[in-house]
Amino acid sequence: MSQSMQHAREAVQAAESAGADYADARFVELELEELRLHNGALEGARAQAERGLGLRVLVDGAWGFASAAGDEPGAPAELARRAVGSARALAAARTGPIELSPDDLQSGEYRTPVVEDPFALSYADKVDLMVEADKGMQGREEIVSRNVDLGLRRERQWFFATGEVEQFQELVRSGGGIAATAAIGGVVERRSYPAAFGGDSSAAGFEFVRSLDLAQHGTRVRDEAIELCKAPVCEAGERDLLLMGNQLMLQIHESVGHPNELDRVFGHEVDLAGASFATTEKLGEFRYGSDIVNLVADSTAEGGLDTRGWDDDGVASGRWHVVKDGIFQGYHTSREWSHRIGESQSRATNRAEGWYNPPIIRITNLSLMPGTWTLDDMIADTEDGVLCDTVKMWSIDQRRLNFQFTTELGWEIKNGKKHRMVRKPTYQGNTPDFWRSCDAICDEHHWRLWGLSNCGKGNPMQVAEMSHGCSPARFRKQTFVV
Amino acid sequence: MAIQAASGLGSEALQESAEAIVERALEQGVVAEVEASVGLTVNSFARFADSGPTQSAERARLDVSLLVRVERDGRLHQAGASGQSLEVDDVDALMQRAISIAEVSPPLEAPVTLGGPVELGGITIAKHRGAVDPDTISHDPAAKAEAIARAVAACADAGVAPAGLFDTTGKARALANSSGRSVRSESSRASFALTATELHPLGLGGAGWAECIRARVGDLDVDGVIARAIQKSAPGVERGKVEPGEYTVVLEPAAVSAMLLFAAYYGFGAKEVEEQSSFLCGRIGEQLFPKELGIRDRWNHPMYPTAGFDGEGTPKKPVPLLQNGALVGPVTDRRYAQRLTGSADASTGHGFAQPTSTGPGTTCLSVDAGDQTMEQLVGGVERGLLVTQFHYTNVIDPREMLLTGMTRNGLFLIEDGQVVRPLKNLRFTESLLKALGNVRAIGSELEISGALFDGEVIAPPLAIDNFRFTSATDF
C-alpha cells in the first residue's frame, strides 16, 4: 500500500474507531500548469501543486467532513476527530438519517490514457507552441488583445472507504485555445478558437493540444474579430436557430445537465445554484425534446473531462440515457440520492473539487447523440435563420427554464445560404420548447466532445469539469432579442 | 526543516515565512527578484435543507505563491508558481518550477519594479488589518446546528421548505519581496443565509431569501434572516403575473450587488480601459448620473473591513468610482500605474497576485447610503416592482454594461406606494449605466450582499425608473 493510500486508510480507521458508521478519505495530489500569452508576453505563467486529505464520515445519520493540506503524520487522527465531532453536533438538528444506496464498491486503479505526457514536455516547447499560435493574430492595429492559453492538469487520488475499498485514479487533462479582441469606433468584439474562455480541453495528454493546431487558426480568428466589429447587430425576431457545437455544448450543460442533478430536484441546492423544473413525476413520461433528441450521460466516454474509474462515492462509472427519443429517462445521482427515486444503485456522479471540498452531485459527460444531416444540407434547408457560433454569454433561471444566450458570431441564413455576418446574436427561450423544436442534428462526422472546465455548483461554490458531445443542430422558430 | 509551520491565524508567522522564502530564493543566486505570498484560510460551514444539516466542512488551507524574475542577457523574465506547503523541499520545488518557466518565457518588455517598503507618514508599517474575530474562527458545528434547528423549525411552522448556509471564515495573508516590502493582514467573515420555498407538488411555489454577512459572527442577525426569508416567500399567496416591459423598480441591496459586481469584473480597471472594452471609455467625467449617487472602492468600510493591501502588497486606497454625477478614472496596479502615470508607486492598490493577465480591479465596492427608508422608496412608486435578488446575471456587452438575469426569491408588485402582491419571475435585459442614470432615490440602510459569482458589494436599496424586463416565467 502506498504512503498516500495509507494516509487515507488511517483517517478512515480513526473515524471508524471514533464511531463513524461509514467513512471515506481521499488523498489528492494536483499539478496544474496554466499559461497565458497575452499580447506576446507570458503574463499568466503559473504552475500549481497541492496535496491534501479530505475525510467524510457518516455518524448518527449526518455527514461530517474535514480536510487539511499536506500529509503530516498526525493529520488523519485530527481530521477524524473534527469530522466525527462535526457530524455528531449536526445530527442533533436532522429530522431523519441520511442513508446510502447499497452499491458494491470495488478496489482498483484507473489512469487516463495519455500518449504524450504534458508534464514531461519542456516548458520551452510549450512556450514555443504558444508563440507560434500568437503569430497569426498579429499585424492588425484593430486588435487590442491577443490571448493564447494552455491548461494542463494531473490529479492523483487515493480513495479509501469503509469495507477496505482502495481505489487509485490518475486523471490527466490537457487543453488550449486562442482569442483575439478587436476594437473599432467603440465596438469591441472577440473571436475565439476552438471555444471561448481558454479554448477546449480533453482527458488526454499533450497530443490533444497539438491536434487543435492553434497556429493555423490565428489569422482567421483575428480577421473575424475585426469583421465582427463592422457587422450589424443581429436583429430581434423569430427565426430558425442553428447552433455550432461550441455553443450547443453549453446549451446541453445548462438546460439538460443542471436540471438533471437529483439534489437540485429535491431543493438541496436552492440556496445558491437553484432548483429544477425536471421534477420526479416527469421521469419516464415527460417530453423533453423532439423524437430525434437523445442525450446520453457517460462517465466512461473516451476523452471526457469527467471520464474516470469511480466517482467520489467510490461507485464505478457508467452510461445511461437522460433523454431517449425525446422522453426524459434518468437523473444524475449519488449513493445518498439514488434511493429517493427508487433506484438501488447510484449513477456515480458524486464529485468534489480536490481534497478541500466534500462531494456533491455533478454533471458528468453528457452528450447529444448525432443525427443524419450534414451542415451544408442543414444550411441549405433553412429559409430564414441565424447560425450561432461560440459561447459569449449565458444566463438561465433558477429552475432551468428561461434562458438567454449570446454567441460571439452569427451568420444570417437566407434562402439556404449564408447571407451576412452579424454580431451579438442573442436568443431567448424556454428549455422544453427549445428541445422540442429541434428538427435537424448533424451526423457523426460533425460530432465531437467539447470540454467544459468552469462548472460552478454548491455553496460554498466548487468548480468541476465535464465534457459535452454534439454536432451542429437546428431549432425551429426561436426568439432573438436585442 | 520547516521554514515556518503556521499555527492558528497568526499573520506574524505567515509574514516570517514569506520573508524566509524570499531570503532563501535570493541565497540560491539564480533569482534576480522574488515576491512571496503566504495565506491561511480556516473555514467552517454547514448547509441545511428540509431534513436539517445536509453537508458540512471543517477545513484549513495554506496557499503559498511565488513570483520569480530571472535575468538573461540583461533582460528580465518572470513566472509564478503556487503550492500549499512551507516545507523546505516543497518550497524549493515550487521555486524551481517558477524558475524553469521564467527561463523560457519571453523577456518582459517594460518590467515594473516590485513594490518597496510600505510607509505611512514616514513610518514603515507591516500590518494592515486588525486581528480576526476569535469567536468567528472558533465558531463550531454545534453552534451552527442550533441556528439551523431554529430555521428548520420556523420554516416547518410556516409551511415552507428551508435551504441555507451558515459559514464562518478566517483569513490571514502575508507578502514579502526582494525590494523590502513585507506586509500582513487578517480578517474574518461570517454569514447566515436562508431560502424559504413554498411547498408545491410541481415545485412552482414562491420563494423568499435573506442573508446576513458580517465581519464578526456575533453581529449576525440569524433570527432576522429567518423571519425575512419566510415573509418574502409569502406562503399561501397566489402569485400574479405582469408582462415584460419597463417598470420603476426598487432593487434591494442583493439585486444592486448582482449588477454592480459586473462593473467590478469588467470595467473599473485600467486594463479594460486600455483595451477599450470598459464602460469607462468615453464616459469619464460625463454628467450621466444623479449627483446623489456615490460608488467607491473602500476596503476599510466600517461595516465590513477587509484586507488592506492588494495582490502586490500595495495598500489599497479608498477610491471614488462614481461621484458628483460622473464616472471617475480606473483603478490601477503597479503595471498600469506605471503606464498611466509613469510611476508604479502611484498604484491605487487594486492589483492581483502577479504574474497574471488579469488587470487591476475593484474588490470592495460600496454604494453610499441615501436618506430614504424602504417604506419611503416603495411609497414613492405609483406602479412598479420590488426586486429581492437577481439570479445568474451575466454581461452581454461590457462596453455598454448590458446585463441580463432573472428575478429570484421575491418579486412583488407595487401599486400606489404599497407592496400589493408577489409575482412570478421576470428576466431583465438592461444596461447598468442606464439604470444608474435613472436612479430616482437611494435607501438609507446598507447591506452586504454577494451574487452567484465571486464578490460582495455594500449597497443600499435603489429606486430606478424605466428598468427593462424582456421575458417572463411561469413560477
Side-chain angles (χ1 to χ4, degrees), chain A residues 1 3 17 19 40 73 127 153 159 162 192 222 259 267 298 313 338 355 363 368 375 378 383 406 471 480:
Chain A
M1 181 180 284
Q3 193 176 346
S17 297
V127 172
R153 178 187 178 98
F159 174 92
T162 293
S192 310
R222 177 197 71 185
D298 187 356
D313 277 343
S338 55
W355 56 268
I363 307 168
L368 177 67
L375 182 58
M378 199 163 75
E383 274 187 33
T406 304
S471 43
F480 287 82

Side-chain angles (χ1 to χ4, degrees), chain A residues 189-379:
Chain A
E189 294 291 347
R190 180 192 69 220
R191 279 296 283 147
S192 310
Y193 168 82
F197 305 109
D200 191 15
S201 52
S202 175
F206 204 76
E207 68 276 7
F208 179 77
V209 177
R210 295 194 194 283
S211 76
L212 296 174
D213 208 355
L214 299 177
Q216 290 302 308
H217 293 267
T219 302
R220 175 184 62 80
V221 161
R222 177 197 71 185
D223 293 347
E224 284 184 356
I226 293 168
E227 198 179 343
L228 260 182
C229 288
K230 301 170 184 170
V233 172
C234 182
E235 295 168 1
E238 194 174 79
R239 274 171 288 174
D240 292 345
L241 169 67
L242 287 70
L243 292 183
M244 297 300 286
N246 57 9
Q247 167 64 20
L248 183 52
M249 63 103 172
L250 188 63
Q251 189 83 45
I252 294 167
H253 181 86
E254 302 289 4
S255 67
V256 183
H258 279 307
N260 197 252
E261 298 159 338
L262 195 56
D263 52 354
R264 293 180 70 116
V265 175
F266 280 91
H268 282 222
E269 291 288 329
V270 161
D271 53 327
L272 187 68
S276 172
F277 76 94
T279 41
T280 53
E281 81 287 349
K282 295 183 174 74
L283 195 58
E285 297 180 4
F286 182 70
R287 177 153 290 283
Y288 211 109
S290 62
D291 286 343
I292 62 170
V293 171
N294 286 283
L295 289 144
V296 173
D298 187 356
S299 48
T300 68
E302 184 183 347
L305 291 183
D306 186 37
T307 294
R308 58 182 63 233
W310 308 269
D311 73 347
D312 291 339
D313 277 343
V315 179
S317 296
R319 183 180 191 273
W320 71 100
H321 272 89
V322 166
V323 174
K324 185 170 175 51
D325 301 331
I327 303 299
F328 176 37
Q329 294 290 350
Y331 284 108
H332 285 62
T333 66
S334 66
R335 291 190 71 193
E336 180 180 348
W337 284 100
S338 55
H339 60 86
R340 297 285 290 264
I341 52 170
E343 294 183 357
S344 59
Q345 291 194 310
S346 162
R347 294 293 189 183
T349 60
N350 215 29
R351 287 196 282 149
E353 180 188 351
W355 56 268
Y356 188 61
N357 295 286
I360 52 176
I361 293 178
R362 304 306 304 244
I363 307 168
T364 186
N365 310 308
L366 175 63
S367 301
L368 177 67
M369 295 295 101
T372 57
W373 291 70
T374 67
L375 182 58
D376 287 344
D377 286 348
M378 199 163 75
I379 291 170

Side-chain angles (χ1 to χ4, degrees), chain A residues 251 255-256 277-278 282 286-290 293 326 399-403 429-438 475 478:
Chain A
Q251 189 83 45
S255 67
V256 183
F277 76 94
K282 295 183 174 74
F286 182 70
R287 177 153 290 283
Y288 211 109
S290 62
V293 171
R399 298 186 69 234
R400 302 275 152 176
L401 282 165
N402 179 313
F403 61 78
N430 172 286
T431 293
D433 294 342
F434 173 83
W435 287 105
R436 289 169 191 166
S437 76
C438 181
F475 302 84
Q478 297 298 306

Side-chain angles (χ1 to χ4, degrees), chain B residues 140-374:
Chain B
D140 63 19
K144 291 181 174 71
E146 190 187 320
I148 289 168
R150 293 210 301 278
V152 171
C155 286
D157 289 347
V160 292
L165 173 71
F166 200 148
D167 183 284
T168 48
T169 304
K171 286 190 175 182
R173 191 171 150 251
L175 178 144
N177 67 27
S178 51
S179 294
R181 177 164 289 184
S182 181
V183 290
R184 62 190 166 93
S185 73
E186 295 173 2
S187 60
S188 55
R189 177 190 182 278
S191 68
F192 182 80
L194 171 64
T195 302
T197 307
E198 193 180 19
L199 301 171
H200 188 287
L202 297 179
L204 296 173
W209 168 90
E211 182 177 34
C212 186
I213 302 171
R214 293 292 182 268
R216 301 162 54 91
V217 71
D219 293 338
L220 290 180
D221 179 11
V222 170
D223 292 323
V225 166
I226 295 170
R228 280 205 310 283
I230 291 173
Q231 179 251 326
K232 286 270 187 190
S233 69
V237 182
E238 190 177 348
R239 271 137 188 84
K241 191 163 186 175
V242 295
E243 292 300 312
E246 290 198 350
Y247 291 87
T248 294
V249 292
V250 176
L251 302 185
E252 294 197 359
V256 175
S257 169
M259 295 187 77
L260 270 182
L261 281 170
F262 280 86
Y265 304 151
Y266 286 101
F268 280 128
K271 183 185 180 195
E272 286 76 28
V273 172
E274 182 180 270
E275 296 183 351
Q276 301 180 51
S277 62
S278 168
F279 57 86
L280 294 180
C281 295
R283 294 188 176 96
I284 292 174
E286 295 289 313
Q287 293 290 316
L288 301 172
F289 309 97
K291 290 196 182 312
E292 301 74 25
L293 185 62
I295 301 176
R296 63 191 77 225
D297 191 79
R298 193 178 178 193
W299 71 272
N300 57 352
H301 196 291
M303 194 171 170
Y304 193 45
T306 55
F309 59 87
D310 70 2
E312 298 175 293
T314 305
K316 293 178 181 173
K317 293 176 185 165
V319 292
L321 300 164
L322 191 165
Q323 69 176 5
N324 300 323
L327 291 163
V328 185
V331 297
T332 57
D333 57 10
R334 291 185 61 77
R335 185 170 31 156
Y336 280 90
Q338 175 81 41
R339 287 190 202 183
L340 293 178
T341 71
S343 169
D345 290 336
S347 166
T348 59
H350 291 85
F352 295 96
Q354 301 295 322
T356 178
S357 62
T358 303
T362 52
T363 54
C364 309
L365 282 185
S366 67
V367 182
D368 295 347
D371 58 2
Q372 301 271 295
T373 64
M374 181 56 89

